Amino acid sequence: MDFKTTKLQFAIPDGVIYLDGNSLGPLPIAAVDRLGRAVTGEWGEMLITAWNKAGWFEMPARLGDRIAPIIGAPKGSVMVGDTLSIKVFQALDVALAMRPKRRVVLSDNGNFPTDLYMAQGLLRRWGSDYELRVVSPEDVAEAITDEIAAVMLTHVDYRSGRMHDMAAITSRAHAQGAVMIWDLAHSAGAVALDLGGAEFACGCTYKYLNGGPGAPAFIYIRPDLIDAVDPLLSGWMGHDAPFAFDLDYRAGAGISRMRVGTPPVLQMAALDAALDIWDGMDMNALRARSVELSERLRLGVIAAIPEWELASPADPAVRGSQISFRHAEGYAITQALIARGVIGDFRAPDILRFGVTPLYLGEGDIDAAIAAMRAVMEGREYACPEYQAQNAVT
Ligand SMILES: *Cc1c(COP(=O)(O)O)cnc(C)c1O
């Protein structure tokens, strides 16, 4: 796998070293043209006939099939649409229906808040006897008992990059009769995945998959379960015959039942172009390269900036594709780095987070980023008042 050529497929501004592909992937050059065609050639020229002529109606399933190999799933098991918050909600509802005698959903306090919020909202509707139990990531395996209906975890921690042992936790969940739901937000396109027997997985496409701001999410259901799924969000696009306009809902064939309403066609056009880069991707080679570059960043920073405390696991085997550090001035340091063209991000209260994405980063970028980090610290550039004022989005 030659990652020098993949770099040429992204529009990264001159002078920028982009270490935030874990939050919003950069623009794939092909997406500009693809979006232009979708707007003028499809929407503009074909108008409503584009639903058939340009294949808009089939796009959520077609894109799901393109994402499937990236997450190690078979065709026909992945559907694209909505946002990740909604896909988590859909998966958890089905999981609860699969274990009607159990009342506890288990998650951990490293999870991204929206997953927990969606679970809280859903459980209120299931009943006051339902409980969301949140434990520390290290305590998850032990907390999986025969009380647990569903284990709902994010595979790679968004702040530290700590990665759960997917196979071990899934098999523990199954041994206790619980349903397993994995959130792959920071895994899809970042690490090689084997979903094993997990019942559900979901993720977003604007992070490592580079689908663009607001790109839709995806949901995976283990193939043998799909036909029994009775979706809570029973929208017309997931109906068996949307254009029969029946008054009663009847779930669509296969994974199409996980569709809800009208898909975001322009966003999906951008995602379609972004997925070209992933065609035939060797995920093991990508992972090996990610580890190589992440280790270079980790060791380089430890040597150059001893006052930054490593917030990620030192062992790459239990880490996703990002390296994080702690510093009390983390926010201002991130702003000072951005002013130097080194774009990472900050996560409260004190985490400096750097995504490592082999598709468009090489050794030279990592070394230049470390030099900029050192310069920001040595020159106390972060003390500048303009870097201290917090923006709405960090
Ligand atoms: C990024 C992320 C989300 C975002 O959810 P949206 O509904 O797409 O805004 C959810 N969960 C996790 C674990 C994430 O990392």
Side-chain angles (χ1 to χ4, degrees):
M1 196 76 220
D2 178 8
F3 294 107
K4 287 196 184 68
T5 57
T6 55
K7 179 169 186 168
L8 303 173
Q9 299 182 49
F10 290 93
I12 298 182
D14 282 343
V16 166
I17 298 172
Y18 196 58
L19 302 175
D20 214 355
N22 52 302
S23 203
L24 174 69
L27 171 66
I29 292 167
V32 178
D33 190 47
R34 180 73 180 81
L35 266 172
R37 274 190 290 133
V39 172
T40 52
E42 297 175 8
W43 180 17
E45 298 284 326
M46 299 179 194
L47 292 159
I48 200 162
T49 68
W51 284 103
N52 293 313
K53 271 198 214 152
W56 287 355
F57 186 74
E58 302 305 331
M59 261 181 126
R62 188 169 62 76
L63 294 179
D65 281 344
R66 296 193 75 186
I67 290 169
I70 304 171
I71 63 166
K75 283 198 153 84
S77 65
V78 180
M79 182 55 66
V80 166
D82 314 299
T83 75
L84 178 49
S85 304
I86 289 171
K87 291 312 182 202
V88 166
F89 187 85
Q90 282 185 306
L92 185 57
D93 179 70
V94 179
L96 291 173
M98 287 166 68
R99 296 291 181 275
K101 293 203 177 71
R102 298 189 181 193
R103 294 287 179 273
V104 184
V105 173
L106 181 70
S107 191
D108 71 40
N109 58 22
N111 208 343
F112 190 79
T114 200
D115 296 41
L116 302 177
Y117 301 162
M118 294 306 281
Q120 287 160 11
L122 180 66
L123 293 186
R124 276 200 300 277
R125 289 291 179 268
W126 271 84
S128 56
D129 50 340
Y130 278 79
E131 176 196 346
L132 173 64
R133 190 170 295 167
V134 177
V135 300
S136 294
E138 342 32 292
D139 298 333
V140 163
E142 213 176 303
I144 304 174
T145 62
D146 62 8
E147 259 187 296
I148 307 294
V151 180
M152 180 192 80
L153 294 173
T154 295
H155 181 221
V156 174
D157 184 295
Y158 72 107
R159 282 175 299 200
S160 67
R162 172 200 44 73
M163 184 163 67
H164 274 303
D165 183 338
M166 185 176 272
I169 291 181
T170 302
S171 81
R172 167 89 188 167
H174 289 168
Q176 296 296 320
V179 175
M180 188 70 229
I181 304 168
W182 285 108
D183 186 328
L184 307 177
H186 292 275
S187 314
V191 298
L193 290 165
D194 178 355
L195 296 173
E199 285 85 351
F200 301 95
C202 43
C204 47
T205 64
Y206 49 79
K207 292 174 180 162
Y208 290 93
L209 297 181
N210 315 305
F218 63 84
I219 185 166
Y220 158 85
I221 304 181
R222 205 176 72 197
D224 59 304
L225 303 172
I226 296 173
D227 289 338
V229 166
D230 177 18
L232 173 64
L233 302 177
S234 42
W236 74 300
M237 285 276 170
H239 191 279
D240 186 42
F243 292 90
F245 300 106
D246 284 346
L247 294 185
D248 294 313
Y249 181 79
R250 196 168 69 245
I255 194 76
S256 73
R257 70 192 58 201
M258 301 318 284
R259 293 179 68 156
V260 182
T262 303
V265 171
L266 299 180
Q267 289 284 180
M268 291 195 310
L271 174 59
D272 200 20
L275 291 174
D276 289 351
I277 295 165
W278 295 95
D279 278 343
M281 180 67 67
D282 176 343
M283 290 306 296
N284 291 314
L286 181 98
R287 169 67 172 160
R289 183 74 179 136
S290 150
V291 167
E292 202 169 66
L293 293 173
S294 306
E295 282 297 89
R296 191 178 185 94
L297 177 61
R298 181 179 71 86
L299 296 169
V301 169
I302 287 172
I305 317 171
E307 63 267 46
W308 286 12
E309 183 197 339
L310 184 69
S312 297
D315 177 3
V318 292
R319 190 175 73 209
S321 201
Q322 67 176 70
I323 300 284
S324 304
F325 300 93
R326 276 203 183 87
H327 193 282
E329 291 290 341
Y331 181 77
I333 293 168
T334 303
Q335 296 305 307
L337 280 170
I338 291 173
R340 281 183 167 268
V342 176
I343 303 183
D345 65 17
F346 170 75
R347 284 293 172 263
D350 58 357
I351 300 269
L352 291 137
R353 188 171 73 150
F354 303 104
V356 179
T357 43
L359 295 185
Y360 47 86
L361 292 172
E363 277 84 0
D365 300 306
I366 299 294
D367 295 349
I370 295 167
M373 292 166 185
R374 186 180 174 130
V376 162
M377 297 311 292
E378 276 180 353
R380 292 180 51 83
E381 291 172 21
Y382 54 85
C384 172
E386 105 183 66
Y387 300 145
Q388 300 273 338
Q390 290 239 2
N391 292 319
V393 175
T394 64

